[in-house]
């Protein structure tokens, strides 16, 4: 069902956000990332017990070096199957979606996020100037904060593109912020990812205002926050990679609450 090539890159790992594993090249069935936390854990344990017997045989017939390589591969898969975000938060916390405005606000308060987007003047991945005006034409904008080093971030990209297309008529937009930029190498990697995944929504290279006024509060990648037309951050952030349908349910709940408040 899944295979991975593990290649640890210490220079990139040293500067990235908390993440349980650093992968330079990983191939994984993307549907795995949208399983429930319990399903991922069950699947991971199945791989563990199946492969541990193979490794014992390898030790007997192929030597310790081969055993170590297969052990590293096994651990890589187990880690990937049990996480939906490059984060130090628990899986259960990441899977919980806020059910009411009060619980959303409580969750938002706990993160320490500011109440508004910082005043920024940045550039997108294509070099176009982007500022706070990007929010005014939409009722609600989902801002997805991701990193090029983060496999779950990359795998949910097609889901985010589909979300942006299907909710546009409801006044909802999707915008990305590439959290491990500005950096020439990472910007090049981001362009390649965006092209490969067919992403058309705007992806921002953060300026100092975004870094100091927003990214410093983000503990996990991907994290999605929600911004109204006036630049206010509303509701609670959503941590981890999710399917478009999950985001739709959250967004439609927010829109309903916003309509009720007006």
């Amino acid at each position: 069902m899944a295979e991975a090539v593990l290649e640890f890159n210490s220079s990139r790992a040293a500067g990235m956000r908390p993440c349980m594993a650093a992968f330079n090249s990983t191939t994984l069935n993307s549907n795995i990332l949208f399983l429930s936390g319990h399903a991922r854990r069950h699947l991971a344990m199945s791989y563990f017990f199946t492969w541990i017997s193979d490794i014992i045989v390898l030790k007997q017939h192929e030597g310790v070096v081969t055993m170590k390589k297969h052990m590293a591969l096994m651990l890589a898969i187990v880690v990937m199957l049990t996480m939906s975000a490059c984060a130090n938060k628990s899986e259960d916390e990441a899977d919980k979606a806020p059910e009411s405005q009060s619980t959303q606000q409580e969750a938002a308060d706990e993160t320490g996020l500011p109440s508004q987007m910082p005043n920024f003047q940045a550039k997108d991945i294509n070099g176009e100037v982007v500022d706070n005006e990007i929010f005014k034409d939409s009722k609600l904008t989902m801002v997805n904060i991701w990193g090029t080093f983060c496999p779950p971030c990359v795998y949910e990209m097609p889901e985010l593109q589909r979300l942006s297309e299907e909710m546009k008529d409801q006044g909802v937009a999707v915008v990305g912020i590439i959290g491990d930029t500005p950096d020439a190498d990472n910007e090049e990697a981001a362009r390649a990812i965006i092209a490969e995944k067919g992403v058309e929504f705007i992806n921002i290279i953060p300026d100092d205002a975004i870094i100091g006024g927003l990214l410093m509060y983000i503990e996990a990648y991907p994290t999605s926050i929600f911004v109204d037309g006036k630049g206010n951050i509303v509701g609670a952030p959503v941590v981890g990679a999710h399917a478009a349908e999950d985001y739709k349910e959250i967004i439609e709940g927010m829109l309903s609450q916003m309509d009720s408040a007006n």
Side-chain angles (χ1 to χ4, degrees):
M1 174 179 272
E3 58 181 23
V5 178
L6 177 65
E7 183 180 331
F8 184 75
N9 186 323
S10 59
S11 61
R12 290 190 69 193
M16 68 187 185
R17 291 282 179 175
C19 185
M20 293 177 66
F23 297 99
N24 216 22
S25 174
T26 305
T27 304
L28 185 66
N29 186 331
S30 60
N31 292 330
I32 291 173
L33 295 173
F34 302 122
L35 294 174
S36 68
H38 292 298
R40 274 197 298 272
R41 284 190 285 270
H42 179 77
L43 185 56
M45 292 306 296
S46 296
Y47 272 99
F48 182 86
F49 289 114
T50 299
W51 285 3
I52 196 68
S53 61
D54 292 340
I55 287 169
I56 293 171
V57 173
L58 285 168
K59 182 178 179 181
Q60 294 173 344
H61 296 285
E62 298 182 25
V64 176
V65 174
T66 303
M67 182 197 71
K68 288 182 178 179
K69 289 181 180 179
H70 282 262
M71 179 65 81
L73 179 60
M74 180 193 69
L75 291 176
I77 293 294
V78 171
V79 168
M80 287 297 297
L81 289 171
T82 54
M83 61 191 287
S84 64
C86 289
N88 59 356
K89 291 181 179 292
S90 71
E91 181 69 42
D92 291 335
E93 289 175 334
D95 282 342
K96 290 180 181 177
E99 298 178 353
S100 67
Q101 183 62 38
S102 60
T103 56
Q104 284 182 350
Q105 191 58 54
E106 289 172 3
D109 291 343
E110 289 177 0
T111 66
L113 283 173
S115 60
Q116 288 188 321
M117 283 292 294
N119 291 320
F120 65 92
Q121 188 167 21
K123 291 185 178 181
D124 68 15
I125 197 67
N126 298 314
E128 300 294 328
V129 175
V130 184
D131 58 24
N132 297 71
E133 295 293 303
I134 195 173
F135 303 116
K136 71 175 186 178
D137 293 329
S138 300
K139 187 171 184 179
L140 190 68
T141 300
M142 188 177 99
V143 179
N144 180 258
I145 301 162
W146 65 284
T148 60
F149 60 83
C150 172
C153 300
V154 175
Y155 283 115
E156 77 165 350
M157 284 288 177
E159 296 292 308
L160 300 182
Q161 178 59 34
R162 182 159 68 91
L163 181 72
S164 70
E165 294 169 0
E166 295 179 359
M167 300 209 72
K168 182 178 181 180
D169 291 342
Q170 293 177 250
V172 176
V174 177
V175 171
I177 294 179
I178 310 164
D180 57 343
T181 64
D183 176 276
D185 291 340
N186 292 346
E187 288 169 29
E188 182 178 353
R191 290 187 192 94
I193 291 167
I194 288 167
E196 179 186 354
K197 299 299 181 181
V199 171
E200 297 178 359
F201 57 83
I202 292 173
N203 274 272
I204 299 172
I205 297 171
D207 64 358
D208 289 342
I210 293 176
I211 293 171
L214 178 63
L215 297 189
M216 66 175 295
Y217 300 101
I218 302 301
E219 297 181 358
Y221 285 5
T223 290
S224 294
I225 64 171
F226 302 90
V227 182
D228 68 13
K230 297 180 180 179
N232 299 308
I233 296 176
V234 298
V238 176
V239 178
H242 300 274
E245 287 74 15
D246 296 331
Y247 285 123
K248 280 184 183 179
E249 184 177 351
I250 295 169
I251 291 170
E252 287 170 354
M254 287 185 177
L255 292 175
S256 178
Q257 290 162 3
M258 291 169 69
D259 289 340
S260 299
N262 294 331

